[in-house]
Amino acid sequence: MTLAAEGAYRAADRVDALIDRGTKRRIHLIVTPEGIELPVALAEHSERLVAFLCDMLFWLGTTLLIYIAAIWLVVELGGPLVAFTLITLIAFLVRNLYFIYFEMMWGGATPGKKIAKLRVIDRRGGPLMPAAVIARNLTRELEVFLPISVFANLTSHGASANWQSFFLLIWLLLLSGLPLFNKARMRGGDIIAGTLLVSVPKRVLLDDIAEQASSAYRFTSRQLQAYGSFELQVLEELLRRTPSEETSQLHETVAGKIAAKIGWSDPVPPSQTHDFLKAFYAAERAHLEREQAFGRIYQDKHARGGQDAG
Amino acid sequence: MTEVVGPQKARPLQLKSSEFRRLREPAWRELEGIIARMESRGLGALRPEEFERLPLLYRSTLSSLAVARSIALDCNLLLYLENLAMRAFLNVYAPRSSLIEDLGRFLTTGFPVAVRQARWHLMLILAVFLAGGAIGYLLTIGDETWYGAFVPESLSQGRGPRSTRSELMEGELFAPWPGVANSFIVFANALFQHNAIIGILSFGLGAVAGVPTLLLVGYQGMVIGAMLALHANRGLAIDFLGWVSIHGVTEIGAILLSGAAGLVVAEKILLPGPHNRLDNLSIHGRHAALIAAGAVMMFLIAGLIEGGLRQLIQPTVLRFTFAGVTFVLWLAYFLFAGRQTMRGRT
């Protein structure tokens, strides 16, 4: 990958990582047929809405185009009633087949979902079967289109609206709002079909910071015992930030804290801060990875409490 | 700085995880390239040898991930591998059959097998439908004002307690054929859409424990029962049955099937069985969806028969013959289609 492209990705990737670790994204674990656990990020409600609105736009547009073509074709052939009927049939088919067709052909994505970077997956980690796609989309009629028509019915009657439709509407809205009420954010169709809507953004492999570390700094194992893997990964995130005034100030503060914590006696000049942090990162990672290889896992700096620090 | 960590003394720091990454990275990059092309341009974008390597690269990346989780603390590396494995997983396990192939398999095995598995639900639905029919018939035969309560105006098209025998015969049962365009296109389509939505709803309403499904199907029975009573009072019961049965065999079959699909879902919500409720629901929900989708196709056929053929075939005897033939065909289809394949599989 070229440096320029990497630079462009770096910022986006950092935002991704921040969102992910800001625990706003809910994670669901699936197990692949090979037995490996993979965490997937559940789709946000907003993403879901964007995807759905895009799809609405697409299928309404398609239907409109078909309308125009059908009117143009049929005006010659039959009466206006026939034209009208053909159009409603096509609209019905497009409405019901749009989602099924794309989710089956594009592996769980529709054009709208592609825009929002979402995909439908099997909840238990198997392949997405056609039956599941059909199941999750047949219920759409109940969850989306029926409440809309009941609502339209209710408003068109105005003040004389009957209570029956009102309660029906509330009940249907509760059903449509199902994704808001369950942990995996499934709508009714997802529950019946055993599917999940997940977000699959692209991630970029960045350079290994440990490879860039200079060997000018040496740390003792006692010094390296000060931290655990959490602090290591925070440091990694700091080192991966795009260079700026703000970043280098942050680096200086952090370097100062680390030096105080591990008892580093030599002063680190500001021009050397970045190198010092990199070297410390590499040494700390080497240390923690070696410990981990022997089954001693230190989650963070407090994890060593019960153990013999020597 | 008294004790210096041993191996670092002589040469620059060597990390196991960095070494691991250097060794495996080319394979990840190759997989990433293949996946990126699949995501943007589909399977067709791959050369045959890439297609061969895809499962291999996918599995080696999964094993890389497993190793990295135990030896590496590089957060970016772990996130990257998880993401790559996920994307590869989605592409490797994407269903790869064509739409026509799927449709064929659905018609020859999927649909009839799913229907056979739901036979008890179908029986229950049939009982509810018949009960609804009996209620509609018995109430209306004594007091025709009930007719308006059961049959909505949109369905009765002006027919009701005030209709005479000759009106029903000429305007409905033996009305002239309205011509190709009107019968096959206009009427058939309106019927199909109306019925298909009812069918999809009775499936979907299974998700709320099935009670609305039962009510909906029972109500459909009442409508038919009330109509039958209206005609029976005018000595037209047999002719009415012929008129209804010509498409009714297919249409009522589809109503019952979509109701049964709803009940399958409802049963798994109420009685989850040995699995966890959600898993169980998803397994059976898919079967139910197959039934509902098949029922929609049946509604299309029923719509064509009702809109197009019903008024074309006039004598009641011929109508009954036609209905009998469709009944036998559907029965044979649901009883026997796909049995061979299922046996072969187990």
Side-chain angles (χ1 to χ4, degrees):
Chain A
M1 192 188 295
T2 65
L3 265 175
E6 192 169 307
Y9 273 114
R10 203 179 282 243
D13 194 24
R14 186 157 61 77
V15 173
D16 261 355
L18 274 180
I19 292 170
D20 270 15
R21 271 178 282 165
T23 62
K24 271 278 177 259
R25 279 231 185 254
R26 224 171 255 165
I27 300 292
H28 178 89
L29 282 182
I30 59 167
V31 181
T32 71
E34 293 80 13
I36 302 284
E37 269 190 347
L38 288 179
V40 279
L42 297 176
E44 296 290 326
H45 300 303
S46 53
E47 292 172 330
R48 229 181 163 129
L49 190 67
V50 167
F52 181 71
L53 289 179
C54 288
D55 281 329
M56 281 271 265
L57 211 65
F58 289 140
W59 70 247
L60 281 177
T62 316
T63 317
L64 202 68
L65 282 181
I66 298 170
Y67 273 23
I68 294 167
I71 289 171
W72 182 75
L73 271 172
V74 180
V75 156
E76 322 270 315
L77 295 174
L81 195 58
V82 175
F84 177 76
T85 313
L86 274 183
I87 287 162
T88 54
L89 177 67
I90 290 168
F92 181 85
L93 290 181
V94 169
R95 183 172 87 193
N96 282 284
L97 293 182
Y98 174 91
F99 288 98
I100 294 180
Y101 174 81
F102 279 114
E103 284 182 12
M104 263 157 90
M105 290 294 100
W106 289 10
T110 58
K113 291 195 181 76
K114 220 157 212 195
I115 290 172
K117 292 196 167 51
L118 300 182
R119 278 184 90 146
V120 180
I121 62 162
D122 183 279
R123 202 161 53 219
R124 285 166 306 159
L128 181 68
M129 303 305 283
V133 170
I134 293 173
R136 81 185 291 281
N137 285 306
L138 276 189
T139 47
R140 206 182 285 276
E141 191 74 32
L142 184 76
E143 288 172 273
V144 180
F145 299 112
L146 194 65
I148 290 175
S149 67
V150 171
F151 183 70
N153 198 19
L154 205 60
T155 48
S156 68
H157 282 76
S160 68
N162 51 17
W163 286 101
Q164 266 173 324
S165 324
F166 181 69
F167 283 117
L168 180 65
L169 183 67
I170 290 191
W171 182 62
L172 285 171
L173 284 180
L174 281 179
L175 203 62
S176 318
L178 214 54
L180 301 170
F181 308 128
N182 69 78
K183 223 169 74 184
R185 294 185 184 152
M186 295 180 284
R187 64 174 180 83
D190 286 322
I191 293 178
I192 290 178
T195 52
L196 274 182
L197 199 58
V198 300
S199 163
V200 191
K202 271 181 206 168
R203 230 174 242 293
V204 174
L205 182 58
L206 305 174
D207 290 337
D208 191 346
I209 301 175
E211 296 278 271
Q212 312 157 354
S214 75
S215 47
Y217 298 91
R218 293 264 188 256
F219 302 93
T220 65
S221 61
R222 189 176 289 278
Q223 285 173 325
L224 294 175
Q225 276 161 15
Y227 294 107
S229 48
F230 171 72
E231 290 80 13
L232 181 75
Q233 287 175 352
V234 171
L235 181 58
E236 179 191 339
E237 206 270 327
L238 282 177
L239 287 171
R240 286 195 195 282
R241 290 195 179 186
T242 34
S244 72
E245 192 74 10
E246 196 192 352
T247 314
S248 37
Q249 264 176 9
L250 202 58
H251 283 176
E252 268 172 53
T253 328
V254 171
K257 277 187 181 167
I258 290 175
K261 172 108 179 162
I262 65 175
W264 187 262
S265 43
D266 309 341
V268 182
S271 60
Q272 302 283 306
T273 328
H274 200 235
D275 288 337
F276 170 76
L277 284 179
K278 271 184 177 172
F280 181 72
Y281 169 81
E284 182 72 64
R285 203 175 103 194
H287 170 76
L288 287 172
E289 283 176 357
R290 204 177 311 117
E291 292 287 284
Q292 185 169 316
F294 291 104
R296 294 187 285 271
I297 297 167
Y298 304 112
Q299 296 291 348
D300 56 29
K301 60 186 174 186
H302 309 294
R304 245 172 262 252
Q307 298 214 8
D308 179 19
Chain B
M1 289 207 289
T2 44
E3 71 175 313
V4 171
V5 180
Q8 294 168 5
K9 213 181 259 170
R11 53 199 165 88
L13 208 54
Q14 282 294 327
L15 276 80
K16 277 270 184 298
S17 57
S18 302
E19 207 178 305
F20 162 79
R21 174 175 164 170
R22 263 198 304 280
L23 274 175
R24 302 279 193 104
E25 194 176 332
W28 306 337
R29 295 290 187 196
E30 189 185 350
L31 181 65
E32 195 183 348
I34 292 179
I35 295 297
R37 257 181 306 141
M38 279 179 86
E39 280 172 346
S40 59
R41 279 178 286 151
L43 206 62
L46 299 191
R47 292 191 302 275
E49 65 268 22
E50 286 176 324
F51 187 69
E52 292 281 297
R53 278 182 66 68
L54 178 64
L56 228 73
L57 289 169
Y58 163 63
R59 283 185 179 81
S60 87
T61 301
L62 274 188
S63 94
S64 291
L65 174 61
V67 174
R69 274 176 178 164
S70 65
I71 69 157
L73 288 171
D74 185 342
C75 190
N76 172 261
L77 177 75
L78 289 168
L79 288 176
Y80 167 79
L81 280 177
E82 277 175 356
N83 181 250
L84 181 61
M86 186 66 207
R87 284 164 65 200
F89 164 76
L90 289 174
N91 281 290
V92 169
Y93 286 110
R96 248 186 265 300
S97 46
S98 74
L99 213 55
I100 300 292
E101 221 174 279
D102 281 337
L103 192 66
R105 204 174 313 121
F106 168 72
L107 289 178
T108 53
T109 46
F111 183 34
V113 167
V115 168
R116 280 201 292 278
Q117 281 173 349
R119 55 186 173 278
W120 295 114
H121 307 86
L122 199 56
M123 292 296 152
L124 178 59
I125 277 288
L126 180 64
V128 170
F129 181 79
L130 290 179
I135 292 170
Y137 180 82
L138 291 175
L139 285 174
T140 313
I141 196 120
D143 178 3
E144 286 197 349
T145 48
W146 279 99
Y147 185 83
F150 292 129
V151 186
E153 257 169 65
S154 60
L155 258 169
S156 60
Q157 293 165 340
R159 294 185 290 272
R162 267 173 292 157
S163 307
T164 61
R165 180 185 156 92
S166 60
E167 268 173 31
L168 289 181
M169 283 195 66
E170 279 149 33
E172 182 197 49
L173 300 187
F174 301 105
W177 195 53
V180 177
N182 274 325
S183 58
F184 273 109
I185 301 178
V186 178
F187 203 40
N189 171 48
L191 292 166
F192 163 65
Q193 285 191 33
H194 171 255
N195 293 335
I197 288 179
I198 289 192
I200 292 173
L201 282 185
S202 23
F203 161 68
L205 290 171
V208 275
V211 177
T213 305
L214 291 175
L215 291 178
L216 202 58
V217 172
Y219 172 66
Q220 302 284 322
M222 285 180 199
V223 172
I224 304 267
M227 283 180 162
L228 178 62
L230 189 79
H231 290 79
N233 277 346
R234 287 155 187 75
L236 290 170
I238 299 295
D239 288 322
F240 174 76
L241 283 178
W243 182 74
V244 164
S245 66
I246 189 168
H247 69 282
V249 167
T250 310
E251 188 181 302
I252 294 171
I255 290 176
L256 297 181
L257 283 179
S258 29
L263 283 196
V264 170
V265 174
E267 185 207 333
K268 297 306 162 192
I269 288 176
L270 295 174
L271 314 164
H275 300 281
N276 121 6
R277 176 171 278 137
L278 279 180
D279 285 353
N280 204 29
L281 189 57
S282 69
I283 300 168
H284 294 276
R286 293 173 192 187
H287 283 291
L290 287 184
I291 300 177
V296 171
M297 289 187 189
M298 285 174 74
F299 279 125
L300 187 61
I301 297 172
L304 286 174
I305 298 175
E306 183 175 5
L309 294 179
R310 187 171 63 186
Q311 301 310 127
L312 199 59
I313 304 173
Q314 291 277 4
T316 300
V317 178
L318 269 185
R319 284 176 174 170
F320 273 123
T321 317
F322 189 93
V325 169
T326 50
F327 181 72
V328 169
L329 284 178
W330 283 122
L331 200 64
Y333 173 64
F334 288 125
L335 282 181
F336 303 114
R339 279 208 192 269
Q340 222 50 49
T341 336
M342 281 307 277
R343 212 172 291 144
R345 212 183 290 160
T346 45

